[in-house]
Every structure is written in structure tokens, then in C-alpha cells.
């Protein structure tokens, strides 16, 4: 098989999505499945839909177009503000977009009018994380302006946390989002169908028994794909943490000195600390590098450690039997490693449909063994 490659276990993804959809349904919250990390893969989209998500979201219009071409039959939402230069493509392919600028919403309305469509708009509110969003004090004026535009429909409001400032959801910011929804409804006599509270970082809050107020939707990507909570990167109980793995191939395996020699300056990607010990080490080189993956986001198999990487080479050390040339090594990935690998044209994506072995799923976080994917034979 091609290397390097991302192996995606669709059975495990389905289990993760289904579990979160069911847990959130008990709190009256629907799930928008976020497909951007795997570049709008129609196969992933279908698995998320069969697991019960209410719609799909992606930050890139290109990915939404890929899903449309792949005949994904579901509401498709652009979850990053459209660019002014792309409003035509957005109204043509996306049912809804998340917005924070009136000039862009006006352009969406005009483009939707030309295309004889109505485009749904969700207004994003800034709740302190300082990424996208309208300041709460300006929200009613913005809603008033949007309600005057002929070819857009104000579907709701939303927020995004824990992406730039690391601010998580709590009773204060989520309570504010709920009361802002009430306030728009009272002021303008409209109904807001959607109050989208945030991303995977909101899960712990939403399932904690806290009062979820008007929040009736979350947009989930990382928690479904990697089974972890982005606020602390802890595994989420009952989800597979290893649905996606990265496989790379050995191209050199040698014993070499631990320390470089000669006149030492900067390396291709910054500086490297001089190893403390002098001696010799099994050093294995894999054909994958910074251009394909975030090496710091790789979880090496037990007994192996990532020593470093350059653009095209990943250098690992192994304690046990050293790998041989041609052998494949399998890594766990964090979100950063996943998005870069999924985007690299040099990394193929292999979807496997193996049914997830529920009997092997650890029941509690404590019982869960540390995540060390097995090496391929
Ligand atoms: C990426 C993104 C999400 C999904 O975030 P995860 O942490 O992967 O769940 C949700 N909303 C917006 C606006 C995003 O950009």
C-alpha cells in the first residue's frame, strides 16, 4: 500500500459520532459534524450522517463543493465567514454560513437574489476568545440590519470558544449567548431556530449537567475524529482515541553517534538541543516530514520516540528490535498532525470499514491504556 498514508477507521468514527449525538440529544442539542480536518471527504460525511448528525459544517467552500459533487445529501454549512470574493460560490453550494460582517452578509443577499435562493445566516457573537464574532452590545443592531435584507434569513446566533484565547465555555458566557437569543426574539418578534454554542471544547460543559439554556447545537470535529476533549486533550470516556492513524515507511536504519559533529549552526526548522549523553543509537529515518505532518503531534509506538524531523525526513529512535528498511511504522496523531497530513498531497487517505470492536473499548478513562498503536508486522 502507498506510504505515507492516513488510515481512517470508519467504524470507530461512526461509533464516536453516534455516541456524542446520543449523549447531546438528551440535553436537547443537535450535532453539526465538522468535516474540515479530512478536507470534506464524502466518505466521512456519509458516516457522520448515518450516525445522526443534523448537518455538516466545513470552513472551506472548496470542501463543501467536494461534498456536493460527492452527492452528500444534507444541509451543508460554511462555518467560517465567507470571503467577499467567494459569496457567489457560497450561496450556490452552502445552505448556511456563519457571519460577523454586514458588508459580507449584504453581498450574500445580493448573490442569493441573483441565484434565486435564500441563504441562511447565523450571526457569530464574540464571547471573549477573541477570534470571530460581533461584540454582544452590537448584536441587536446587526440583527436589525440583517432582517432588512431580502435574500438572507436570520437562522440564529452562535459562538466559538477555545480556539484563539483558550477561553472555555462556562455559565457566564453560555448564559449570555442564551439571553442574547431571547433579546433578539423579543426586540424583533422573530424566532431563532439555531443557537450554536461552540465546538468540541463545549462538550464537557454541555454534558456536565449545567443549564444549557437556549443552546441547541454544537459543531463537532476533533472530538468525533480523535475522541478527545480539545480543552485538555484528555480522551473522552467511551470514544475511540485511535480511529485515525498515520503510517510511514522506513528508508534508513542505522546505528549512529547520538551527537552531531562538526561546526553546529541552525537546522532547517530551527535549533535542536544537543543530546546529553554521548554514545551510539539506532536511528531510523521515515519518508515523511514537516511538509506532510506536524512531527510534534505524532504519538510513536511503544519503545519508540521521535528525535526530530526536517522537511521530508522523520528521525526516530527505538529501544527494542530496530525497524528495517521498508518496514511501516504506525503513529497516533493529534489535531495538528492530522490536519497537515490530511492536506498534504503526498499522504494518501485509506478508509477502512472494519466494524469497531465495542468489546475492546475501555469503559472508563482510568481503565483506558495509554495510547500506543501497535507496530505493523
Ligand atoms: C473548526 C471549527 C469547529 C469544530 O471544532 P472542533 O474543535 O474540531 O470540534 C466548530 N466551529 C468552527 C467555527 C470551527 O472553525
Amino acid at each position: 500500500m502507498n506510504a505515507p498514508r492516513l488510515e481512517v477507521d470508519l467504524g470507530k468514527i461512526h461509533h464516536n459520532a453516534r455516541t456524542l449525538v446520543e449523549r447531546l440529544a438528551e440535553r436537547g442539542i443537535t450535532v453539526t459534524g465538522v468535516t474540515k480536518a479530512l478536507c470534506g471527504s464524502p466518505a466521512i460525511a456519509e458516516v457522520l450522517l448515518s450516525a445522526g448528525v443534523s448537518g455538516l459544517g466545513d470552513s472551506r467552500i472548496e470542501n463543501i463543493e467536494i461534498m456536493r459533487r460527492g452527492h452528500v445529501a444534507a444541509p451543508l454549512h460554511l462555518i467560517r465567514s465567507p470571503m467577499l470574493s467567494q459569496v457567489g460560490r457560497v450561496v450556490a453550494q452552502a445552505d448556511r454560513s456563519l457571519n460577523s460582517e454586514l458588508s459580507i452578509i449584504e453581498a450574500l443577499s445580493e448573490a442569493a437574489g441573483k441565484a434565486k435562493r435564500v441563504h441562511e445566516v447565523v450571526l457569530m457573537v464574540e464571547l471573549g476568545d477573541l477570534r470571530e464574532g460581533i461584540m454582544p452590545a452590537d448584536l441587536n443592531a446587526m440583527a436589525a440590519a440583517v432582517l432588512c435584507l431580502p435574500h438572507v434569513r436570520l437562522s440564529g446566533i452562535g459562538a466559538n470558544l477555545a480556539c484563539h484565547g483558550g477561553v472555555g465555555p462556562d455559565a457566564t458566557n453560555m448564559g449570555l449567548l442564551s439571553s442574547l437569543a431571547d433579546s433578539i426574539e423579543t426586540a424583533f418578534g422573530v424566532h431563532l431556530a439555531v443557537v450554536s454554542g461552540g465546538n468540541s471544547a463545549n462538550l464537557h460543559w454541555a454534558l456536565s449537567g449545567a443549564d444549557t439554556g437556549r443552546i441547541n447545537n454544537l459543531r463537532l470535529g476533533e472530538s468525533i475524529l480523535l475522541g478527545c476533549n480539545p480543552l485538555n486533550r484528555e480522551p473522552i470516556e467511551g470514544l475511540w482515541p485511535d480511529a485515525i492513524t498515520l503510517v510511514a515507511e522506513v528508508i534508513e536504519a542505522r546505528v549512529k553517534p547520538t551527537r552531531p559533529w562538526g561546526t553546529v549552526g541552525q537546522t532547517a526548522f530551527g535549533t535542536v538541543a544537543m543530546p546529553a549523553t554521548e554514545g551510539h543509537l539506532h536511528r531510523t529515518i521515515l519518508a515523511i516530514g514537516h511538509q506532510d505532518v506536524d512531527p510534534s503531534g505524532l504519538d510513536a509506538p511503544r519503545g519508540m520516540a521521535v528525535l526530530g524531523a526536517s522537511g521530508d525526513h522523520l528521525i526516530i529512535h527505538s529501544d527494542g528490535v530496530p525497524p528495517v528498511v521498508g518496514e511501516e511504522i504506525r503513529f497516533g496523531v493529534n489535531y495538528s498532525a492530522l490536519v497537515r497530513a490530511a492536506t498534504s498531497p503526498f499522504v494518501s487517505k485509506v478508509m477502512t470499514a472494519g466494524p469497531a470492536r465495542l468489546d475492546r473499548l475501555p469503559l472508563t478513562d482510568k481503565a483506558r491504556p495509554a495510547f500506543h498503536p501497535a507496530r505493523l508486522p
Side-chain angles (χ1 to χ4, degrees):
M1 238 192 281
N2 251 10
R5 63 181 180 274
L6 274 173
E7 287 193 4
V8 182
D9 185 324
L10 296 178
K12 291 183 176 180
I13 303 272
H14 183 276
H15 168 83
N16 288 358
R18 181 82 205 157
T19 305
L20 293 174
V21 164
E22 282 171 357
R23 289 180 191 173
L24 287 167
E26 286 172 24
R27 315 297 325 252
I29 294 175
T30 61
V31 173
T32 299
V34 174
T35 48
K36 63 190 179 190
L38 285 164
C39 305
S41 149
I44 294 289
E46 295 299 347
V47 166
L48 298 179
L49 289 169
S50 75
V53 302
S54 61
L56 298 167
D58 203 292
S59 51
R60 316 271 170 155
I61 190 62
E62 291 81 357
N63 292 345
I64 287 182
E65 289 167 347
I66 286 170
M67 288 191 278
R68 284 279 182 238
R69 281 200 299 275
H71 306 292
V72 173
L76 298 183
H77 305 160
L78 185 67
I79 60 171
R80 182 173 70 182
S81 172
M83 296 180 217
L84 262 185
S85 57
Q86 293 185 336
V87 290
R89 289 168 76 181
V90 173
V91 299
Q93 305 293 347
D95 303 285
R96 177 193 293 172
S97 56
L98 308 187
N99 285 272
S100 57
E101 286 288 355
L102 186 58
S103 57
I104 294 175
I105 303 169
E106 285 168 346
L108 285 167
S109 179
E110 202 183 312
K114 278 191 200 138
K116 303 216 174 345
R117 286 169 181 256
V118 174
H119 184 73
E120 290 181 35
V121 164
V122 167
L123 292 177
M124 293 299 275
V125 185
E126 174 61 68
L127 293 180
D129 194 52
L130 294 177
R131 205 179 71 176
E132 74 273 39
I134 302 150
M135 290 298 286
D138 302 330
L139 187 63
N140 272 20
M142 179 71 123
V146 172
L147 287 167
C148 291
L149 295 171
H151 307 292
V152 292
R153 180 185 316 126
L154 180 59
S155 299
I157 62 174
N160 194 71
L161 292 170
C163 272
H164 178 67
V167 173
D170 57 27
T172 309
N173 52 31
M174 288 293 102
L176 175 60
L177 192 63
S178 285
S179 64
L180 289 168
D182 291 340
S183 143
I184 290 176
E185 290 185 345
T186 314
F188 304 107
V190 292
H191 170 64
L192 296 183
V194 187
V195 183
S196 188
N199 55 42
S200 293
N202 285 60
L203 265 178
H204 182 74
W205 165 82
L207 298 173
S208 67
D211 177 8
T212 48
R214 293 284 312 265
I215 312 299
N216 63 5
N217 172 263
L218 291 180
R219 309 172 304 271
L220 303 182
E222 180 171 355
S223 52
I224 293 175
L225 299 176
L226 299 180
C228 82
N229 173 355
L231 272 183
N232 54 14
R233 299 271 133 80
E234 293 282 331
I236 298 170
E237 188 179 331
L239 301 196
W240 292 102
D242 58 352
I244 304 178
T245 51
L246 178 83
V247 179
E249 183 176 324
V250 175
I251 53 171
E252 183 186 297
R254 296 194 171 281
V255 176
K256 293 190 188 180
T258 50
R259 289 183 169 175
W261 63 93
T263 313
V264 174
Q266 286 223 347
T267 70
F269 288 87
T271 49
V272 169
M274 186 69 88
T277 53
E278 223 173 317
H280 284 76
L281 208 60
H282 277 293
R283 298 169 74 92
T284 302
I285 300 182
L286 305 173
I288 188 167
H290 280 277
Q291 192 162 358
D292 314 292
V293 75
D294 176 359
S296 68
L298 291 176
D299 191 0
R302 200 189 298 275
M304 294 190 187
V306 174
L307 294 176
S310 60
D312 321 299
H313 297 77
L314 181 77
I315 306 158
I316 64 171
H317 157 70
S318 54
D319 285 337
V321 186
V324 296
V325 168
E327 187 173 337
E328 292 186 336
I329 312 280
R330 183 177 291 264
F331 297 86
V333 287
N334 73 5
Y335 193 72
S336 172
L338 169 62
V339 291
R340 205 179 304 168
T343 310
S344 169
F346 306 104
V347 179
S348 52
K349 288 172 210 143
V350 179
M351 309 281 175
T352 60
R357 291 277 307 275
L358 296 182
D359 53 323
R360 295 207 318 229
L361 184 67
L363 290 177
T364 66
D365 286 350
K366 285 211 178 63
R368 184 187 295 273
F371 173 37
H372 290 298
R375 274 169 61 186
L376 284 182

